[in-house]
Amino acid sequence: MSRPLIGVTTYLDPARWGVWEMPAALLPAGYPRLVQAAGGIAAMLPPDAPDAATAVVARIDALVVAGGPDVDPARYGAPRDPRTGPPAPERDAWELALLDAALAAGTPVLGVCRGMQLLNVALGGTLVQHLDGHVREPGRFACHTVKPVPDTRCGTLVPEAVEVRTYHHQAVDRLGAGLVASAYAEDGTVEAVEPYGAGAWVLGVQWHPEADDDTRVMRGLVRAATRA
């Protein structure tokens, strides 16, 4: 059986390597490593013209929307909180177009951190723009316990309470159309979302599975991509 092609969205930021300093399409190495460990092939999807999204989704077997900067609150009709980070308009436009195309095509989707938040926004939901306590030290993941909801996709993949790596100061507020919360932190923060009932394989997680050794969530995506 051939390994499915998993498209993973990227940052577009200034970077330095060797003698070079210039804009770069960036992706933490944990993402492709996790895709590969789960049995897939990773393909980077840097920001592009939104009207290319449908053609891109037609060429991949599944989509991962990676973590990254805060979603522009204008995308969900909210005034900007002064603690919200700078907007990333190219990423917002590209990733929303990819999500729309993937959801329309029934392509399996995994949203990670920002990716989960953007999935919620794509379906009409809103975000809490600042949440204390989930980032303890800049540039370092925190750990906390997540409790999956039984009889959900998340709860089937990860049935027990589990320690996860996390780094975010925003969270889901009002759920998008058709979504249910399928995991929670101990303080009640929504830690996973997914569509209600049967249908295409779609899951968003607030934590960072690419920063851990637990491949279960990504294996679920890869299995769905293999069947699609």
Side-chain angles (χ1 to χ4, degrees):
M1 184 179 296
S2 61
R3 294 162 62 195
L5 183 65
I6 313 298
V8 187
T9 65
T10 78
Y11 294 72
L12 190 62
D13 285 315
R16 295 184 63 183
W17 66 98
V19 299
W20 302 103
E21 182 173 357
M22 62 178 67
L26 299 172
L27 185 66
Y31 286 97
R33 279 200 290 256
L34 186 64
V35 169
Q36 292 157 6
I41 299 170
M44 292 173 64
L45 302 178
D48 203 332
D51 61 7
T54 298
V56 169
V57 166
R59 298 183 186 187
I60 59 177
D61 298 306
L63 172 68
V64 176
V65 181
D70 294 342
V71 179
D72 187 344
R75 296 284 180 176
Y76 48 94
R80 175 174 292 276
D81 186 293
R83 295 166 294 186
T84 294
E90 289 177 293
R91 267 197 83 174
D92 284 356
W94 173 236
E95 292 177 350
L96 283 168
L98 286 172
L99 282 168
D100 287 345
L103 293 171
T107 301
V109 173
L110 174 63
V112 174
C113 195
R114 163 193 162 87
M116 180 186 101
Q117 295 168 8
L118 201 64
L119 171 64
N120 190 61
V121 169
L123 292 172
T126 62
L127 304 179
V128 176
Q129 290 191 53
H130 183 75
L131 185 69
D132 288 322
H134 285 249
V135 173
R136 300 193 181 108
E137 186 176 350
R140 292 185 179 274
F141 289 110
C143 291
H144 66 71
T145 301
V146 165
K147 295 182 178 180
V149 175
D151 301 319
T152 61
R153 175 167 287 123
C154 182
T156 299
L157 293 169
V158 184
E160 80 283 7
V162 62
E163 282 282 305
V164 297
R165 302 288 186 98
T166 183
Y167 191 89
H168 66 99
H169 80 116
Q170 299 197 332
V172 165
D173 187 9
R174 187 184 72 243
L175 285 165
L179 292 178
V180 296
S182 52
Y184 292 92
E186 291 178 321
D187 65 0
T189 300
V190 174
E191 290 285 335
V193 298
E194 61 189 70
Y196 175 78
W201 200 103
V202 176
L203 177 64
V205 297
Q206 185 60 70
W207 67 91
H208 283 268
E210 83 284 357
D212 207 339
D213 295 327
D214 192 336
T215 63
R216 288 178 290 180
V217 168
M218 188 61 75
R219 286 190 184 279
L221 180 74
V222 169
R223 283 195 298 270
T226 303
R227 294 193 297 266

